[in-house]
Amino acid sequence: MSVQGGIPRQKFHLGTPARMSRRLSSQLQQKFPEDVYCEKHLELVQLFCVDDQILLCGQCFHSQEHENHLVCGVQEAAGIYRKLFQEILNTLKEKLEVAKSILADEQERMVVIQGEEQDFKEMIESEYRIRFQLMVEEMNFRSLQDCVFNPKLREDHLNQVLAFATELKGQSQETLQRLNDLGKENMNKLKESEGRLSGHICSLQKMTVELEKKCGKYTLMVLQNAGSSLKRSESLLLQCLEQAQITDLSLCQVTGMSRMLKVLQRAVTLDPKTANPCLVLSEDLRSMHLRNVQQDVPRSPGRFVFSATVLGVESFTSGRHYWEVDVEKATKWQLGVSEDSASRHGDLPTASGNKVLLMGSLMGTNYTFWAFPPLKRVSLRGEQMHKVGVFLDCESGHISFYDVANRSLIYNFSSLTFQGALRPIFSLCIPSGVTNSDSLSICLPPVSSCDVTVSPQSSLA
């Protein structure tokens, strides 16, 4: 069905119309708009030319000026346009609500990214503080005996510490500047989107009011500038409503890892008394994999029953500790620490407050990371994850998670308050009726963790 001016051709009859004076529009504003006469022929207008979008009287209908144009009765044309306007009006109102919703989302994102930027800033600052402490500890570990009775070595040691502090400060400022630039860029994009959406909402509201007036007017008022109204409505409906594309702040990575972590690496093992029945542990208690059928295992008050989780045997109450986990063969996993509470039975009553977790989920080739508590998405990476390093500083309440292969920070928690001993925790996703061969393996520490040369550069290699 071909359409001219928004009206189906089959609704009209072809004739030999003539142009009516455009001064008719002024007559439409009179008290009785239905009584409109052609100024040229002084006849009542009864026809409407779709091509020229003007009213015609009987004599105008027979002129050559409108030959082969689409013409129909005024009442018929007004009815068709009124129906079209009503359909468009409904669509405009729907789009108006969508635009308002997107605008509210953009304004909320402005608040969210400001909070995220502050979180990342604190994370970066705390990470560099820990690195400096670890470097000083490493230097002390290497040179303590030599420096005791040798002032020259003591001075060299102090100069090394100062050089490293200066280098770390520069790296920290550079990373924070990248974060600040990225935050400003994101905010500018959101503000531009806010302005664009506000303007679009204003146009939609004006067009809605205009069409509502038309749908409620007299017949001839419906036809006045009908084609123009249709075109402007169509233009608004064709405009895409999209959110601003902003850059994930997690792309502002903190690269490098302290080599002191290798000195602190622990030989963590899994505690079979806490393992969920769906988990199969290796004989050396350093790896775990899922099975679809639960095993027949002894009852234990500390066993996890609602999640494929197991705790480490080791328990930490003080000091600094580090362990690495191979996650390459797992699509969904959780790593972190859990408070060793005697009141815990299964996963109940303190599950929301006694764990600090990093959760990884592989979808296709993209890795999404979530942190808890509180639960929030913290990173998105388009690459395979091989090993995750977990660093715990009990005294400062600091926990860091590292991408070992890329030697970069994934996320960290700082200034946490722990109640009692902490144990490593490991989780997989329980299969839901499908075969799942996910597995995790705890990496053994190096045979010798003392073969490390000390310099500001090597400490962050």
Side-chain angles (χ1 to χ4, degrees):
M1 180 175 67
S2 58
V3 176
Q4 178 70 32
I7 300 184
R9 286 182 181 273
Q10 65 187 42
K11 293 286 185 181
F12 301 100
H13 309 284
L14 296 177
T16 319
R19 177 180 295 275
M20 179 183 181
S21 170
R22 293 191 180 276
R23 285 193 295 252
L24 281 174
S25 60
S26 63
Q27 296 187 45
L28 296 178
Q29 309 299 327
Q30 301 302 314
K31 182 176 182 180
F32 304 105
E34 300 299 295
D35 298 330
V36 176
Y37 292 84
C38 172
E39 292 188 352
K40 182 177 181 181
H41 303 108
L42 302 179
E43 291 186 11
L44 189 67
V45 295
Q46 297 177 323
L47 303 170
F48 182 73
C49 176
V50 178
D51 295 75
D52 288 340
Q53 291 285 301
I54 60 173
L55 299 167
L56 305 175
C57 70
Q59 292 188 51
C60 293
F61 177 79
H62 296 287
S63 72
Q64 293 183 349
E65 187 176 356
H66 298 284
E67 187 174 2
N68 297 325
H69 285 189
L70 297 178
V71 176
C72 70
V74 167
Q75 295 293 337
E76 183 181 9
I80 295 171
Y81 270 112
R82 185 177 279 113
K83 182 179 180 181
L84 280 173
F85 287 150
Q86 189 59 57
E87 292 175 353
I88 293 173
L89 182 59
N90 293 337
T91 306
L92 284 172
K93 289 181 178 179
E94 291 176 0
K95 187 167 186 179
L96 178 59
E97 292 306 310
V98 172
K100 289 180 178 179
S101 176
I102 295 177
L103 176 60
D105 288 344
E106 296 293 72
Q107 292 170 338
E108 182 180 354
R109 289 170 79 194
M110 290 184 188
V111 177
V112 170
I113 66 167
Q114 287 178 324
E116 287 182 347
E117 184 177 349
Q118 181 61 34
D119 288 345
F120 274 98
K121 179 181 178 182
E122 293 174 0
M123 184 182 75
I124 291 168
E125 290 174 342
S126 66
E127 180 64 18
Y128 279 108
R129 281 197 303 270
I130 284 293
R131 290 191 180 186
F132 178 73
Q133 293 170 10
L134 289 176
M135 183 58 195
V136 172
E137 185 173 313
E138 180 182 352
M139 289 179 174
N140 290 336
F141 179 74
R142 302 300 174 191
S143 58
L144 181 60
Q145 292 182 340
D146 294 332
C147 292
V148 171
F149 303 107
N150 192 322
K152 180 65 168 63
L153 288 178
R154 192 182 304 118
E155 182 180 354
D156 291 343
H157 172 69
L158 179 60
N159 289 336
Q160 274 190 324
V161 172
L162 292 175
F164 181 70
T166 301
E167 181 181 347
L168 267 187
K169 183 178 180 180
Q171 293 175 355
S172 175
Q173 290 177 342
E174 181 181 340
T175 306
L176 290 172
Q177 185 60 51
R178 289 202 311 270
L179 177 68
N180 183 63
D181 293 343
L182 198 56
K184 286 183 178 179
E185 179 184 321
N186 285 342
M187 185 59 71
N188 289 336
K189 289 180 179 179
L190 288 172
K191 287 182 177 179
E192 289 175 5
S193 177
E194 180 187 36
R196 185 169 57 252
L197 285 166
S198 297
H200 192 67
I201 288 172
C202 183
S203 298
L204 287 170
Q205 289 172 330
K206 288 181 179 179
M207 196 73 243
T208 298
V209 171
E210 179 180 330
L211 292 188
E212 283 177 337
K213 288 181 179 179
K214 276 190 172 296
C215 289
K217 291 290 186 179
Y218 295 104
T219 297
L220 297 183
M221 290 296 289
V222 173
L223 297 176
Q224 186 181 18
N225 300 320
S228 172
S229 296
L230 281 178
K231 288 180 181 179
R232 287 184 287 113
S233 300
E234 182 182 42
S235 175
L236 281 175
L237 291 175
L238 288 176
Q239 291 183 30
C240 293
L241 297 176
E242 295 181 346
Q243 289 186 317
Q245 299 298 313
I246 61 176
T247 305
D248 197 321
L249 294 180
S250 65
L251 294 179
C252 187
Q253 294 185 2
V254 179
T255 57
M257 292 172 61
S258 171
R259 295 186 64 172
M260 190 61 183
L261 293 176
K262 289 297 182 181
V263 177
L264 301 172
Q265 188 167 350
R266 309 304 179 207
V268 174
T269 53
L270 305 174
D271 183 359
K273 294 180 181 179
T274 65
N276 180 278
C278 284
L279 289 176
V280 179
L281 307 186
S282 62
E283 290 186 7
D284 63 2
L285 300 179
R286 298 193 186 281
S287 65
M288 53 191 266
H289 71 268
L290 284 167
R291 57 178 293 173
N292 289 352
V293 180
Q294 291 192 0
Q295 305 171 89
D296 185 13
V297 294
R299 293 179 60 86
S300 171
R303 190 177 302 281
F304 288 88
V305 293
F306 297 117
S307 61
T309 302
V310 60
L311 295 178
V313 172
E314 290 69 26
S315 177
F316 307 120
T317 58
S318 62
R320 294 178 177 138
H321 313 275
Y322 175 75
W323 57 96
E324 292 181 356
V325 184
D326 189 335
V327 300
E328 188 172 2
K329 296 181 181 179
T331 55
K332 293 183 179 180
W333 47 262
Q334 297 179 4
L335 301 174
V337 296
S338 174
E339 289 183 358
D340 188 13
S341 172
S343 64
R344 182 179 62 79
H345 295 283
D347 301 329
L348 300 174
T350 58
S352 62
N354 68 343
K355 300 174 185 175
V356 178
L357 300 172
L358 176 74
M359 293 163 270
S361 177
L362 177 63
M363 296 292 289
T365 58
N366 289 327
Y367 242 109
T368 304
F369 294 101
W370 298 78
F372 174 85
L375 181 63
K376 58 182 177 180
R377 190 179 75 87
V378 297
S379 182
L380 176 65
R381 301 192 184 189
E383 55 196 12
Q384 176 66 44
M385 184 65 55
H386 298 284
K387 293 181 181 180
V388 175
V390 184
F391 170 69
L392 167 66
D393 187 333
C394 296
E395 276 74 22
S396 66
H398 183 98
I399 301 176
S400 293
F401 297 92
Y402 298 96
D403 178 349
V404 177
N406 288 333
R407 304 192 66 76
S408 61
L409 178 70
I410 300 174
Y411 193 74
N412 70 20
F413 297 86
S414 59
S415 302
L416 299 175
T417 301
F418 302 122
Q419 303 293 331
L422 299 173
R423 297 174 67 179
I425 187 170
F426 312 84
S427 293
L428 292 170
C429 182
I430 293 181
S432 55
V434 296
T435 301
N436 189 321
S437 58
D438 280 10
S439 65
L440 294 175
S441 298
I442 302 172
C443 304
L444 286 171
V447 176
S448 174
S449 57
C450 298
D451 256 349
V452 184
T453 57
V454 181
S455 71
Q457 294 292 340
S458 67
S459 295
L460 291 177

